[in-house]
Amino acid sequence: AQSVTQLDSQVPVFEEAPVELRCNYSSSVSVYLFWYVQYPNQGLQLLLKYLSGSTLVKGINGFEAEFNKSQTSFHLRKPSVHISDTAEYFCAVLFDRGSTLGRLYFGRGTQLTVWP
Amino acid sequence: KAGVTQTPRYLIKTRGQQVTLSCSPISGHRSVSWYQQTPGQGLQFLFEYFSETQRNKGNFPGRFSGRQFSNSRSEMNVSTLELGDSALYLCASSLEMDRPDTQYFGPGTRLTVL
């Protein structure tokens, strides 16, 4: 069965510190991976995605993520965070099972709080 | 290019009523998906539409329904509202030139059921 796990529900960090938000998935089929960010009272904004090609992908706002097929992970990183990065971050996966390919499966989210 | 728009942004209804939410996709996008977001269950897939046809459906009761029009705009309807239907309902659109494709989300409609 397919599943998406975000290991940390909350991650507090100080401004200018590095951060890693973890995402693991379980699947027996090919996957396509996404990170979205949600600010209070807003929808989801796409940060970055992995569909194919290089396993290291760069996104907006200085974020990057690496697809590790052997460890079934897609962790999100930023070398130096800013207070404006405070938000909830969601890992999402498309599982390549034909007709259900359009259905995104989400992790439970990680609340990133950046302190001054 | 304008993003995904959803109307209304906020709704308050009472139990037993029905509600219709609207979603206009990004211009040129042909696929629309709907998701429900609650603190308890997180983000859950409701359904996906492409070319006016429901292509995929999540595990929700029949009170939840939707449709897509020829201009790709979509509506979802919830009948006989229950307290547990209070949620943020998110619509996402994708281009559908290739699959897999990237879904772009709207701001959501916040539904409160009293």
Side-chain angles (χ1 to χ4, degrees), chain B residues 34-47:
Chain B
W34 289 88
Y35 295 83
Q36 181 197 63
Q37 184 178 23
T38 61
Q41 299 299 316
L43 281 151
Q44 293 187 289
F45 172 80
L46 281 156
F47 21 67

Side-chain angles (χ1 to χ4, degrees), chain B residues 48-68:
Chain B
E48 177 196 12
Y49 287 88
F50 176 74
S51 291
E52 302 178 65
T53 301
Q54 187 179 88
R55 186 160 60 179
N56 206 347
K57 189 178 191 306
N59 189 27
F60 278 81
R63 299 185 297 106
F64 291 82
S65 63
R67 58 178 176 168
Q68 186 181 32

Side-chain angles (χ1 to χ4, degrees), chain A residues 32 34 36 38 41-46 49 51 88 90 94 98-108, chain B residues 9 33 35 37 39-43 45 48 55-58 88 90 99-107:
Chain A
Y32 309 96
F34 305 82
Y36 288 91
Q38 186 175 38
N41 300 315
Q42 293 188 27
L44 301 177
Q45 180 183 2
L46 179 69
K49 62 185 176 183
L51 299 181
E88 187 145 28
F90 291 94
L94 286 176
S99 62
T100 63
L101 184 55
R103 173 179 179 168
L104 275 171
Y105 289 79
F106 285 90
R108 293 306 299 267
Chain B
R9 291 293 310 279
S33 298
Y35 295 83
Q37 184 178 23
Q41 299 299 316
L43 281 151
F45 172 80
E48 177 196 12
R55 186 160 60 179
N56 206 347
K57 189 178 191 306
L88 181 66
L90 293 164
R99 282 167 74 82
D101 205 348
T102 303
Q103 295 182 30
Y104 297 91
F105 285 79

Side-chain angles (χ1 to χ4, degrees), chain A residues 42-113:
Chain A
Q42 293 188 27
L44 301 177
Q45 180 183 2
L46 179 69
L47 271 179
L48 48 77
K49 62 185 176 183
Y50 171 80
L51 299 181
S52 65
S54 172
T55 57
L56 180 64
V57 291
K58 295 187 184 298
I60 62 171
N61 301 339
F63 284 95
E64 65 178 34
E66 186 158 20
F67 171 45
N68 189 319
K69 189 175 181 179
S70 62
Q71 296 188 9
T72 61
S73 68
F74 191 54
H75 300 334
L76 181 70
R77 301 183 182 97
K78 186 169 182 177
S80 175
V81 294
H82 190 268
I83 288 179
S84 60
D85 293 323
T86 295
E88 187 145 28
Y89 292 78
F90 291 94
C91 178
V93 181
L94 286 176
F95 296 95
D96 195 349
R97 295 187 64 200
S99 62
T100 63
L101 184 55
R103 173 179 179 168
L104 275 171
Y105 289 79
F106 285 90
R108 293 306 299 267
T110 298
Q111 173 64 44
L112 173 65
T113 303

